[in-house]
Amino acid sequence: MKWKKLVTLGCVVVMTVSSVTACGSNTTENQTVEATEQSEENQSDSVIVQVTAVEGDQITADVGTLTTASADASGNGALGGEAPSGDAPGGDDSGNGAPGEAPSGDALGGDNSGNGAPGEAPSGEAPGGEAPGGDAPGGDDSGNGAPGDAPSGEAPSGDAPGGQMPGGSSFEASGESITFTLTDDTAITLEYLQGSGEGNADDIAVGSVLEVVLDEDNQAVSVTVRNLNAGGGFGGSGEVTNGTSANTITEDTEVDSETYTSTGDDENALRVDGATVTLKDITIEKTAGSSSNTEDGDFYGLNAGLLVLNGATATITGATVNTSVTNGNGVFSYGEGTVVNISDSTIRTTENNSGGIQTTGGGTMNAANLDVETQGNSAAAIRSDRGGGTVKVDGGSYVTNGTGSPAIYCTADISVSDATLTANASEGVVVEGKNSVALTDCEVTGNMSNTYNGDSDENIHCIMIYQSMSGDADVGEATFSAEGGSITAKTGDMFYITNTDCEITLKDVAFTLANDVFLRVEGNSSSRGWGTEGANGGDVTLTADSQEFTGNILVDEISSLALTMKNGTSYEGAINPDGDGGTVDVTLDDNSTWTLTGDSYITSFDGDTSNITANGYHLYVNGEQVL
């Protein structure tokens, strides 16, 4: 069934955005005007509901209202607090943990002190810039832990009540219920933390909160899947803002052994604008200069050491890049048609929201044999943000030391081979939304140190795949693959998947676990805006090819897993040892084995049970004991 894009959003408030759209959002100014007009027309016809049952095209739901939390002057309430991590306000690039790169930019607040009107959001520092009194706890690029890349930054003052994000709402049922029908003509939209994007029927699940416009036959004309944490003011300045540059190259040229410096606010040390340039043995020093909008720095390269944009091609060898400012991303590729080729170079950054190599807006980054190390929070060594792009890395060392700073934070198509990737206080890798990471013969180490505000409901992990709903990454199936090399988790689960579909392929990887969980697929509290609680699980396809692995696999009731083990794969562990969870389909070929370490509960099994070693435990398939 083909679902059409919703241009009219019922009575949802639609924010005006520029014609240069962010990743995951196709709304233009003209569409916004149209949506607003239609909103006024349909306002009386829309209804807020929470889904209680989905049977094919028939949706049954409780009718109710949305109540928005208020904020008081002390910073408590909806507007205060650490923004949820991830791209969502606060947290890290992934949105876990205390505000990381929070919607970057200064959080609700304007200046880096957290004071003032809304500043940048999803990417940089969470609302409010650095939270008064220092960094918000925890968060990494993935949003876990102390402030990470996640909507980056440090959260505003105080914790929002109950961990609710700025602008958070709650559903209150009226006691009435309705049943309506989806049709081929139903327009389905997903509401992000900032803006909206196209959705489909699969985005409507039990627990989803919807705004629905019905016709006289009780068929849905339009459905908006509401994000109860939307409207927190994240999203940067709303226009492409690159700042200024101390030195700009606009004509084709070759440069050898030059030094470029900057101490100005919102200023690059060097900018390559629309030209084809070869830079050999150059030095970049960005030693001072504040960022007026952290999220614009994350999205567009404002305050970066070296910014390449407007379709330029920069080939860089033997460079030394040092930055010591917020948003001091070392080398930044921005925009469609822009290409950075960088090799045999050293990059050091010390402050928050300062990645090593950064790619956004559809740019391309090709890196070889780099030595990259970052110290700040929300400072992934290999980093992408709104608009994504293509990143290829071959060889080198990539080290991060801040929270919310995975070695790789991905909102792009990223492939890395023969590299050492080390995150000393964060996840090793985070993939957000409809994007991909492919690792070949890499050594990955993750050491996530904390969770969002120390919340025991948060997850600690080495690799996270999720959707923050910030609008920085398209909604869709994420992809993670690893062949050869090693992945070491020093803390937490090996893999954590929430609020997204994803495909994982593993072949001949050496895993070292920190606990007994290899894979956790489950929903989240939605306190960071990652979907709606009760409807934000994960749907995972995992293929293990010639792979040895151990550890439990946990799939909750709102999630699913299709696990295939083939070509001599050996698995030692239990699946949902505490009983039934979500749908789990297991395929085991004749050359692969499974050794139980606990009772296991799955939905279906395709294979020969003689390849399963019970080890004193039992296997249950669709409720029946088969071993």
Side-chain angles (χ1 to χ4, degrees):
M1 187 175 289
K2 183 176 181 182
W3 302 96
K4 298 182 178 179
K5 179 178 179 182
L6 177 61
V7 176
T8 58
L9 301 182
C11 64
V12 177
V13 175
V14 179
M15 303 178 198
T16 301
V17 298
S18 68
S19 59
V20 177
T21 59
C23 174
S25 176
N26 296 318
T27 305
T28 66
E29 291 182 354
N30 290 338
Q31 289 172 324
T32 302
V33 171
E34 180 181 348
T36 303
E37 293 172 350
Q38 189 65 39
S39 171
E40 295 172 355
E41 179 181 336
N42 289 335
Q43 188 168 3
S44 61
D45 299 325
S46 66
V47 59
I48 300 294
V49 302
Q50 184 168 46
V51 178
T52 57
V54 178
E55 297 181 6
D57 294 336
Q58 299 293 313
I59 308 295
T60 302
D62 291 333
V63 177
T65 58
L66 291 180
T67 300
T68 302
S70 60
D72 60 28
S74 66
N76 297 315
L79 290 181
E82 301 170 14
S85 255
D87 282 316
D92 51 19
D93 271 329
S94 62
N96 292 304
E101 288 192 321
S104 264
D106 302 326
L108 293 179
D111 57 23
N112 285 336
S113 68
N115 299 314
E120 304 166 78
S123 278
E125 304 177 340
E130 297 186 355
D135 297 346
D140 49 19
D141 270 322
S142 65
N144 294 304
D149 271 303
S152 224
E154 287 120 30
S157 56
D159 294 336
Q164 190 171 34
M165 291 179 51
S169 302
S170 60
F171 177 82
E172 295 184 5
S174 66
E176 177 188 358
S177 66
I178 61 172
T179 298
F180 58 89
T181 305
L182 302 177
T183 72
D184 289 343
D185 295 323
T186 301
I188 300 177
T189 288
L190 297 177
E191 183 179 35
Y192 300 140
L193 292 171
Q194 183 85 12
S196 60
E198 181 181 359
N200 59 51
D202 291 338
D203 297 312
I204 298 174
V206 173
S208 296
V209 175
L210 314 176
E211 181 161 7
V212 184
V213 175
L214 303 174
D215 65 16
E216 58 186 9
D217 297 320
N218 227 35
Q219 295 180 333
V221 175
S222 66
V223 174
T224 298
V225 182
R226 296 296 302 266
N227 188 319
L228 300 190
N229 289 311
F234 299 100
S237 63
E239 59 184 17
V240 177
T241 305
N242 306 117
T244 62
S245 182
N247 304 277
T248 302
I249 299 175
T250 58
E251 296 182 357
D252 297 355
T253 189
E254 295 185 6
V255 176
D256 193 342
S257 303
E258 290 289 337
T259 296
Y260 301 95
T261 64
S262 167
T263 58
D265 296 345
D266 294 340
E267 182 182 71
N268 308 128
L270 175 63
R271 178 176 298 182
V272 178
D273 189 347
T276 298
V277 175
T278 298
L279 305 172
K280 182 179 179 182
D281 298 331
I282 66 167
T283 298
I284 300 288
E285 297 285 348
K286 174 65 177 172
T287 57
S290 64
S291 172
S292 62
N293 188 305
T294 312
E295 194 148 63
D296 284 347
D298 292 341
F299 295 168
Y300 311 124
L302 175 147
N303 227 36
L306 169 57
L307 172 61
V308 183
L309 76 171
N310 290 331
T313 296
T315 299
I316 307 161
T317 59
T320 299
V321 180
N322 296 306
T323 74
S324 53
V325 296
T326 298
N327 278 142
N329 292 287
V331 177
F332 200 118
S333 177
Y334 172 72
E336 295 283 350
T338 298
V339 178
V340 173
N341 304 307
I342 180 169
S343 62
D344 303 307
S345 298
T346 299
I347 299 173
R348 296 289 186 269
T349 74
T350 64
E351 299 304 314
N352 295 343
N353 302 90
S354 299
I357 53 175
Q358 171 87 325
T359 307
T360 70
T364 296
M365 177 76 68
N366 299 312
N369 301 319
L370 301 187
D371 178 359
V372 176
E373 185 167 3
T374 72
Q375 300 295 332
N377 299 328
S378 300
I382 301 169
R383 189 177 182 214
S384 63
D385 209 312
R386 185 164 290 190
T390 302
V391 181
K392 294 182 179 179
V393 176
D394 183 12
S397 173
Y398 304 83
V399 178
T400 67
N401 295 290
T403 55
S405 301
I408 300 174
Y409 187 81
C410 172
T411 60
D413 292 324
I414 299 178
S415 59
V416 184
S417 60
D418 300 300
T420 300
L421 306 164
T422 305
N424 288 318
S426 179
E427 301 101 325
V429 178
V430 174
V431 183
E432 179 180 356
K434 192 178 180 180
N435 293 293
S436 65
V437 166
L439 305 178
T440 305
D441 297 326
C442 292
E443 296 181 5
V444 180
T445 302
N447 188 24
M448 186 177 166
S449 60
N450 204 347
T451 63
Y452 175 57
N453 202 28
D455 188 341
S456 61
D457 291 336
E458 297 291 338
N459 187 256
I460 297 284
H461 45 266
C462 181
I463 296 172
M464 182 169 85
I465 305 172
Y466 84 121
Q467 171 55 256
S468 75
M469 304 306 295
S470 68
D472 289 350
D474 284 332
V475 174
E477 185 176 74
T479 303
F480 177 89
S481 66
E483 180 172 355
S486 64
I487 302 177
T488 300
K490 290 193 172 181
T491 54
D493 303 338
M494 179 58 70
F495 287 91
Y496 172 54
I497 289 85
T498 189
N499 196 40
T500 195
D501 298 343
C502 75
E503 180 177 351
I504 301 171
T505 303
L506 306 172
K507 184 174 183 179
D508 196 28
V509 181
F511 287 101
T512 301
L513 276 64
N515 62 21
D516 63 357
V517 177
F518 180 79
L519 171 66
R520 184 184 300 271
V521 188
E522 66 181 19
N524 63 82
S525 68
S526 77
S527 63
R528 296 184 302 278
W530 302 352
T532 300
E533 184 175 8
N536 56 6
D539 295 305
V540 178
T541 298
L542 170 59
T543 301
D545 184 353
S546 306
Q547 180 65 57
E548 293 184 5
F549 66 113
T550 63
N552 293 340
I553 294 174
L554 308 177
V555 182
D556 74 1
E557 61 277 3
I558 60 172
S559 301
S560 70
L561 170 66
L563 170 62
T564 298
M565 295 177 277
K566 64 181 184 179
N567 297 330
T569 288
S570 171
Y571 169 48
E572 183 175 341
I575 300 178
N576 280 348
D578 293 332
D580 290 335
T583 300
V584 179
D585 300 316
V586 176
T587 299
L588 185 69
D589 78 0
D590 292 340
N591 298 317
S592 300
T593 61
W594 177 10
T595 300
L596 300 182
T597 60
D599 291 344
S600 295
Y601 295 81
I602 63 178
T603 308
S604 71
F605 177 74
D606 181 3
D608 191 332
T609 56
S610 66
N611 284 27
I612 301 176
T613 300
N615 203 25
Y617 298 102
H618 300 291
L619 174 64
Y620 297 88
V621 178
N622 202 25
E624 296 185 9
Q625 181 182 324
V626 298
L627 275 180

